[in-house]
Amino acid sequence: MSTLNTEHLSLSYDNTPIIETLNLTTPSGEITALIGPNGCGKSTLLRGLARLLKPRGGAVLLDGRAIHTVPTRELARQLSILPQAPTAPEGITVRELVSQGRYPHQGWFQQWSDADEAAVEKALTLTGLLPLADRLVDTLSGGQRQRAWIAMTLAQETGTLLLDEPTTYLDLAHQIEVLELLSQLNTLEGRTVVMVLHDLNHAARYAHHLVALCGGEVIAQGRPEEVITEAVIRQVFQVESLVIPHPLLGTPLCLPLGRTSAEQSPIGARIPMLSALARGN
């Protein structure tokens, strides 16, 4: 299993610094979720980890090797990314989309092989899309379409998957469907998964390791119970909250109460009373 980490990583867009001297390690063989407010650098960091954005300073290391020194095809056999809201070419079937994941394994003198076919069939099976393999991607539901893109990354057969908000634009049922799939893939395949998530309770439930970002800096990282705390939520999101154990799962359950400043929200002045009531005091 691959190890992906950063050393003093700095990233920017158009000379505007976004990430500054960031040190981060994603546990191998586990699910890591990047959380934080809009504009905090989550997607930028993911793009940097995928070598879609060149560092302004520092490095991203894959198994101790700077990824910018790794040949593109070799890197694509080790690491795959699913960006936000990907779009498929018009008229492409699910099987054709998933087959594109085999591109890194092709060469000038190596045509489509039995290994390629087996990888595509396995990806379709794992994502439950084999019955839909000949359907046009455009005709799929949101959850099915997202599973098709995930299947493509699986067919790539990399040890590490990077996903930028894989549940965006999906209703609750399809969000759970995608997250359960990623959890299953991690358990059965041992894939390392790094994903950006907005829903803190989903992150706490499905990820083993959380990284809370704010202003391009890591505010907290660790197990869900170490990161999803009232103090961290206040610092990262400027929101007062009540964090309790999930009654069934035991994972942290975050109940937002209001903005930290009473001037910002009518509920602000009532937060201490609401918190006490929620705790049963």
mmCIF file of all heavy atoms in Angstrom, residues 59-91:
data_model
loop_
_atom_site.group_PDB
_atom_site.id
_atom_site.type_symbol
_atom_site.label_atom_id
_atom_site.label_comp_id
_atom_site.label_asym_id
_atom_site.label_seq_id
_atom_site.Cartn_x
_atom_site.Cartn_y
_atom_site.Cartn_z
ATOM 1 N N ALA A 59 7.056 19.691 -1.388
ATOM 2 C CA ALA A 59 6.848 18.551 -2.276
ATOM 3 C C ALA A 59 5.716 17.670 -1.780
ATOM 4 O O ALA A 59 5.365 17.661 -0.597
ATOM 5 C CB ALA A 59 8.128 17.725 -2.383
ATOM 6 N N VAL A 60 5.134 16.931 -2.727
ATOM 7 C CA VAL A 60 4.220 15.826 -2.434
ATOM 8 C C VAL A 60 5.006 14.551 -2.652
ATOM 9 O O VAL A 60 5.623 14.368 -3.710
ATOM 10 C CB VAL A 60 2.983 15.858 -3.354
ATOM 11 C CG1 VAL A 60 2.090 14.646 -3.073
ATOM 12 C CG2 VAL A 60 2.206 17.150 -3.174
ATOM 13 N N LEU A 61 4.988 13.674 -1.665
ATOM 14 C CA LEU A 61 5.779 12.450 -1.728
ATOM 15 C C LEU A 61 4.866 11.227 -1.784
ATOM 16 O O LEU A 61 3.943 11.090 -0.984
ATOM 17 C CB LEU A 61 6.699 12.335 -0.508
ATOM 18 C CG LEU A 61 7.646 13.511 -0.243
ATOM 19 C CD1 LEU A 61 8.449 13.264 1.032
ATOM 20 C CD2 LEU A 61 8.583 13.723 -1.423
ATOM 21 N N LEU A 62 5.130 10.366 -2.740
ATOM 22 C CA LEU A 62 4.432 9.092 -2.860
ATOM 23 C C LEU A 62 5.458 8.001 -2.608
ATOM 24 O O LEU A 62 6.407 7.842 -3.385
ATOM 25 C CB LEU A 62 3.814 8.947 -4.253
ATOM 26 C CG LEU A 62 2.993 7.673 -4.502
ATOM 27 C CD1 LEU A 62 1.772 7.632 -3.591
ATOM 28 C CD2 LEU A 62 2.559 7.596 -5.962
ATOM 29 N N ASP A 63 5.277 7.300 -1.514
ATOM 30 C CA ASP A 63 6.261 6.303 -1.081
ATOM 31 C C ASP A 63 7.662 6.910 -0.986
ATOM 32 O O ASP A 63 8.654 6.310 -1.396
ATOM 33 C CB ASP A 63 6.265 5.094 -2.027
ATOM 34 C CG ASP A 63 4.970 4.301 -1.964
ATOM 35 O OD1 ASP A 63 4.307 4.353 -0.914
ATOM 36 O OD2 ASP A 63 4.618 3.658 -2.958
ATOM 37 N N GLY A 64 7.703 8.144 -0.471
ATOM 38 C CA GLY A 64 8.969 8.812 -0.257
ATOM 39 C C GLY A 64 9.584 9.460 -1.477
ATOM 40 O O GLY A 64 10.675 10.044 -1.399
ATOM 41 N N ARG A 65 8.903 9.409 -2.600
ATOM 42 C CA ARG A 65 9.424 9.942 -3.860
ATOM 43 C C ARG A 65 8.578 11.121 -4.316
ATOM 44 O O ARG A 65 7.352 11.032 -4.354
ATOM 45 C CB ARG A 65 9.389 8.829 -4.907
ATOM 46 C CG ARG A 65 10.028 9.156 -6.246
ATOM 47 C CD ARG A 65 9.906 7.932 -7.129
ATOM 48 N NE ARG A 65 10.390 8.156 -8.483
ATOM 49 C CZ ARG A 65 10.220 7.284 -9.482
ATOM 50 N NH1 ARG A 65 9.587 6.132 -9.259
ATOM 51 N NH2 ARG A 65 10.694 7.557 -10.688
ATOM 52 N N ALA A 66 9.210 12.247 -4.628
ATOM 53 C CA ALA A 66 8.477 13.435 -5.081
ATOM 54 C C ALA A 66 7.714 13.111 -6.354
ATOM 55 O O ALA A 66 8.297 12.665 -7.350
ATOM 56 C CB ALA A 66 9.451 14.588 -5.311
ATOM 57 N N ILE A 67 6.397 13.345 -6.337
ATOM 58 C CA ILE A 67 5.582 12.909 -7.474
ATOM 59 C C ILE A 67 5.915 13.673 -8.753
ATOM 60 O O ILE A 67 5.638 13.185 -9.847
ATOM 61 C CB ILE A 67 4.074 13.003 -7.175
ATOM 62 C CG1 ILE A 67 3.649 14.447 -6.904
ATOM 63 C CG2 ILE A 67 3.685 12.108 -6.020
ATOM 64 C CD1 ILE A 67 2.140 14.623 -6.819
ATOM 65 N N HIS A 68 6.496 14.855 -8.637
ATOM 66 C CA HIS A 68 6.839 15.601 -9.848
ATOM 67 C C HIS A 68 8.071 15.034 -10.557
ATOM 68 O O HIS A 68 8.421 15.501 -11.638
ATOM 69 C CB HIS A 68 7.027 17.089 -9.528
ATOM 70 C CG HIS A 68 5.727 17.832 -9.464
ATOM 71 N ND1 HIS A 68 4.946 17.836 -8.331
ATOM 72 C CD2 HIS A 68 5.047 18.553 -10.401
ATOM 73 C CE1 HIS A 68 3.857 18.542 -8.563
ATOM 74 N NE2 HIS A 68 3.882 18.990 -9.813
ATOM 75 N N THR A 69 8.694 14.035 -9.936
ATOM 76 C CA THR A 69 9.813 13.357 -10.592
ATOM 77 C C THR A 69 9.390 12.017 -11.178
ATOM 78 O O THR A 69 10.185 11.343 -11.828
ATOM 79 C CB THR A 69 10.969 13.123 -9.608
ATOM 80 O OG1 THR A 69 10.563 12.168 -8.603
ATOM 81 C CG2 THR A 69 11.379 14.421 -8.917
ATOM 82 N N VAL A 70 8.122 11.631 -10.954
ATOM 83 C CA VAL A 70 7.623 10.335 -11.409
ATOM 84 C C VAL A 70 7.024 10.494 -12.806
ATOM 85 O O VAL A 70 6.198 11.383 -13.026
ATOM 86 C CB VAL A 70 6.558 9.784 -10.439
ATOM 87 C CG1 VAL A 70 6.049 8.422 -10.919
ATOM 88 C CG2 VAL A 70 7.115 9.684 -9.027
ATOM 89 N N PRO A 71 7.403 9.656 -13.767
ATOM 90 C CA PRO A 71 6.801 9.723 -15.103
ATOM 91 C C PRO A 71 5.277 9.619 -15.032
ATOM 92 O O PRO A 71 4.732 8.888 -14.197
ATOM 93 C CB PRO A 71 7.415 8.521 -15.825
ATOM 94 C CG PRO A 71 8.715 8.284 -15.123
ATOM 95 C CD PRO A 71 8.462 8.631 -13.684
ATOM 96 N N THR A 72 4.595 10.341 -15.902
ATOM 97 C CA THR A 72 3.136 10.460 -15.848
ATOM 98 C C THR A 72 2.437 9.104 -15.869
ATOM 99 O O THR A 72 1.541 8.830 -15.062
ATOM 100 C CB THR A 72 2.631 11.320 -17.014
ATOM 101 O OG1 THR A 72 3.205 12.620 -16.907
ATOM 102 C CG2 THR A 72 1.116 11.431 -16.986
ATOM 103 N N ARG A 73 2.835 8.235 -16.787
ATOM 104 C CA ARG A 73 2.161 6.940 -16.905
ATOM 105 C C ARG A 73 2.393 6.087 -15.657
ATOM 106 O O ARG A 73 1.492 5.396 -15.181
ATOM 107 C CB ARG A 73 2.642 6.204 -18.155
ATOM 108 C CG ARG A 73 1.774 4.999 -18.533
ATOM 109 C CD ARG A 73 2.252 4.380 -19.834
ATOM 110 N NE ARG A 73 2.072 5.285 -20.961
ATOM 111 C CZ ARG A 73 0.958 5.338 -21.683
ATOM 112 N NH1 ARG A 73 -0.059 4.559 -21.389
ATOM 113 N NH2 ARG A 73 0.876 6.164 -22.701
ATOM 114 N N GLU A 74 3.604 6.160 -15.119
ATOM 115 C CA GLU A 74 3.909 5.402 -13.893
ATOM 116 C C GLU A 74 3.077 5.920 -12.730
ATOM 117 O O GLU A 74 2.545 5.141 -11.935
ATOM 118 C CB GLU A 74 5.397 5.508 -13.572
ATOM 119 C CG GLU A 74 5.794 4.767 -12.303
ATOM 120 C CD GLU A 74 7.268 4.953 -11.951
ATOM 121 O OE1 GLU A 74 8.058 5.326 -12.850
ATOM 122 O OE2 GLU A 74 7.621 4.726 -10.779
ATOM 123 N N LEU A 75 2.950 7.248 -12.607
ATOM 124 C CA LEU A 75 2.157 7.827 -11.526
ATOM 125 C C LEU A 75 0.692 7.430 -11.660
ATOM 126 O O LEU A 75 0.020 7.149 -10.662
ATOM 127 C CB LEU A 75 2.289 9.350 -11.540
ATOM 128 C CG LEU A 75 1.546 10.100 -10.438
ATOM 129 C CD1 LEU A 75 2.110 9.740 -9.072
ATOM 130 C CD2 LEU A 75 1.608 11.607 -10.666
ATOM 131 N N ALA A 76 0.194 7.381 -12.900
ATOM 132 C CA ALA A 76 -1.206 7.042 -13.130
ATOM 133 C C ALA A 76 -1.513 5.584 -12.805
ATOM 134 O O ALA A 76 -2.678 5.201 -12.703
ATOM 135 C CB ALA A 76 -1.581 7.335 -14.579
ATOM 136 N N ARG A 77 -0.487 4.777 -12.655
ATOM 137 C CA ARG A 77 -0.692 3.390 -12.221
ATOM 138 C C ARG A 77 -0.709 3.271 -10.710
ATOM 139 O O ARG A 77 -1.043 2.217 -10.171
ATOM 140 C CB ARG A 77 0.421 2.502 -12.780
ATOM 141 C CG ARG A 77 0.380 2.334 -14.295
ATOM 142 C CD ARG A 77 1.590 1.575 -14.767
ATOM 143 N NE ARG A 77 1.622 1.456 -16.221
ATOM 144 C CZ ARG A 77 2.727 1.303 -16.935
ATOM 145 N NH1 ARG A 77 3.901 1.255 -16.310
ATOM 146 N NH2 ARG A 77 2.674 1.207 -18.253
ATOM 147 N N GLN A 78 -0.356 4.345 -10.030
ATOM 148 C CA GLN A 78 -0.292 4.321 -8.572
ATOM 149 C C GLN A 78 -1.354 5.194 -7.917
ATOM 150 O O GLN A 78 -1.748 4.951 -6.777
ATOM 151 C CB GLN A 78 1.090 4.801 -8.097
ATOM 152 C CG GLN A 78 2.249 3.962 -8.606
ATOM 153 C CD GLN A 78 3.579 4.501 -8.109
ATOM 154 O OE1 GLN A 78 3.835 4.549 -6.914
ATOM 155 N NE2 GLN A 78 4.424 4.928 -9.038
ATOM 156 N N LEU A 79 -1.804 6.220 -8.649
ATOM 157 C CA LEU A 79 -2.683 7.217 -8.038
ATOM 158 C C LEU A 79 -3.716 7.676 -9.056
ATOM 159 O O LEU A 79 -3.388 7.980 -10.204
ATOM 160 C CB LEU A 79 -1.812 8.389 -7.565
ATOM 161 C CG LEU A 79 -2.425 9.526 -6.763
ATOM 162 C CD1 LEU A 79 -1.359 10.125 -5.851
ATOM 163 C CD2 LEU A 79 -2.971 10.594 -7.698
ATOM 164 N N SER A 80 -4.991 7.713 -8.649
ATOM 165 C CA SER A 80 -6.055 8.171 -9.544
ATOM 166 C C SER A 80 -6.887 9.225 -8.833
ATOM 167 O O SER A 80 -6.981 9.242 -7.603
ATOM 168 C CB SER A 80 -6.946 7.001 -9.983
ATOM 169 O OG SER A 80 -7.456 6.308 -8.859
ATOM 170 N N ILE A 81 -7.480 10.124 -9.618
ATOM 171 C CA ILE A 81 -8.287 11.199 -9.037
ATOM 172 C C ILE A 81 -9.627 11.291 -9.741
ATOM 173 O O ILE A 81 -9.721 11.142 -10.965
ATOM 174 C CB ILE A 81 -7.544 12.557 -9.107
ATOM 175 C CG1 ILE A 81 -8.396 13.658 -8.447
ATOM 176 C CG2 ILE A 81 -7.173 12.918 -10.537
ATOM 177 C CD1 ILE A 81 -7.682 14.963 -8.214
ATOM 178 N N LEU A 82 -10.658 11.558 -8.950
ATOM 179 C CA LEU A 82 -11.989 11.853 -9.468
ATOM 180 C C LEU A 82 -12.300 13.297 -9.104
ATOM 181 O O LEU A 82 -12.519 13.616 -7.936
ATOM 182 C CB LEU A 82 -13.034 10.912 -8.849
ATOM 183 C CG LEU A 82 -14.483 11.127 -9.286
ATOM 184 C CD1 LEU A 82 -14.625 10.933 -10.781
ATOM 185 C CD2 LEU A 82 -15.416 10.198 -8.528
ATOM 186 N N PRO A 83 -12.293 14.216 -10.085
ATOM 187 C CA PRO A 83 -12.528 15.632 -9.786
ATOM 188 C C PRO A 83 -13.996 15.909 -9.499
ATOM 189 O O PRO A 83 -14.851 15.030 -9.620
ATOM 190 C CB PRO A 83 -12.077 16.332 -11.075
ATOM 191 C CG PRO A 83 -12.310 15.310 -12.140
ATOM 192 C CD PRO A 83 -12.029 13.974 -11.509
ATOM 193 N N GLN A 84 -14.286 17.152 -9.126
ATOM 194 C CA GLN A 84 -15.671 17.549 -8.921
ATOM 195 C C GLN A 84 -16.441 17.523 -10.238
ATOM 196 O O GLN A 84 -15.940 17.967 -11.260
ATOM 197 C CB GLN A 84 -15.740 18.976 -8.368
ATOM 198 C CG GLN A 84 -15.342 19.133 -6.928
ATOM 199 C CD GLN A 84 -15.625 20.548 -6.443
ATOM 200 O OE1 GLN A 84 -16.697 21.095 -6.661
ATOM 201 N NE2 GLN A 84 -14.638 21.142 -5.791
ATOM 202 N N ALA A 85 -17.656 17.021 -10.175
ATOM 203 C CA ALA A 85 -18.595 17.069 -11.309
ATOM 204 C C ALA A 85 -17.943 16.758 -12.648
ATOM 205 O O ALA A 85 -17.955 17.574 -13.563
ATOM 206 C CB ALA A 85 -19.263 18.445 -11.362
ATOM 207 N N PRO A 86 -17.354 15.561 -12.813
ATOM 208 C CA PRO A 86 -16.746 15.218 -14.100
ATOM 209 C C PRO A 86 -17.824 15.054 -15.170
ATOM 210 O O PRO A 86 -18.976 14.724 -14.862
ATOM 211 C CB PRO A 86 -16.046 13.886 -13.815
ATOM 212 C CG PRO A 86 -16.830 13.283 -12.693
ATOM 213 C CD PRO A 86 -17.280 14.440 -11.854
ATOM 214 N N THR A 87 -17.453 15.278 -16.415
ATOM 215 C CA THR A 87 -18.408 15.129 -17.516
ATOM 216 C C THR A 87 -17.870 14.113 -18.521
ATOM 217 O O THR A 87 -16.687 14.113 -18.851
ATOM 218 C CB THR A 87 -18.651 16.462 -18.232
ATOM 219 O OG1 THR A 87 -17.389 16.989 -18.673
ATOM 220 C CG2 THR A 87 -19.306 17.468 -17.296
ATOM 221 N N ALA A 88 -18.763 13.248 -18.971
ATOM 222 C CA ALA A 88 -18.391 12.222 -19.941
ATOM 223 C C ALA A 88 -18.716 12.688 -21.353
ATOM 224 O O ALA A 88 -19.655 13.463 -21.563
ATOM 225 C CB ALA A 88 -19.139 10.924 -19.635
ATOM 226 N N PRO A 89 -17.960 12.214 -22.345
ATOM 227 C CA PRO A 89 -18.285 12.537 -23.743
ATOM 228 C C PRO A 89 -19.692 12.052 -24.085
ATOM 229 O O PRO A 89 -20.151 11.016 -23.578
ATOM 230 C CB PRO A 89 -17.221 11.765 -24.537
ATOM 231 C CG PRO A 89 -16.104 11.536 -23.567
ATOM 232 C CD PRO A 89 -16.752 11.391 -22.222
ATOM 233 N N GLU A 90 -20.378 12.781 -24.927
ATOM 234 C CA GLU A 90 -21.738 12.419 -25.298
ATOM 235 C C GLU A 90 -21.763 11.092 -26.043
ATOM 236 O O GLU A 90 -20.887 10.807 -26.864
ATOM 237 C CB GLU A 90 -22.337 13.518 -26.182
ATOM 238 C CG GLU A 90 -23.815 13.339 -26.469
ATOM 239 C CD GLU A 90 -24.384 14.500 -27.254
ATOM 240 O OE1 GLU A 90 -23.682 15.519 -27.392
ATOM 241 O OE2 GLU A 90 -25.535 14.393 -27.729
ATOM 242 N N GLY A 91 -22.738 10.254 -25.706
ATOM 243 C CA GLY A 91 -22.912 8.993 -26.404
ATOM 244 C C GLY A 91 -22.010 7.868 -25.941
ATOM 245 O O GLY A 91 -21.931 6.826 -26.608
#
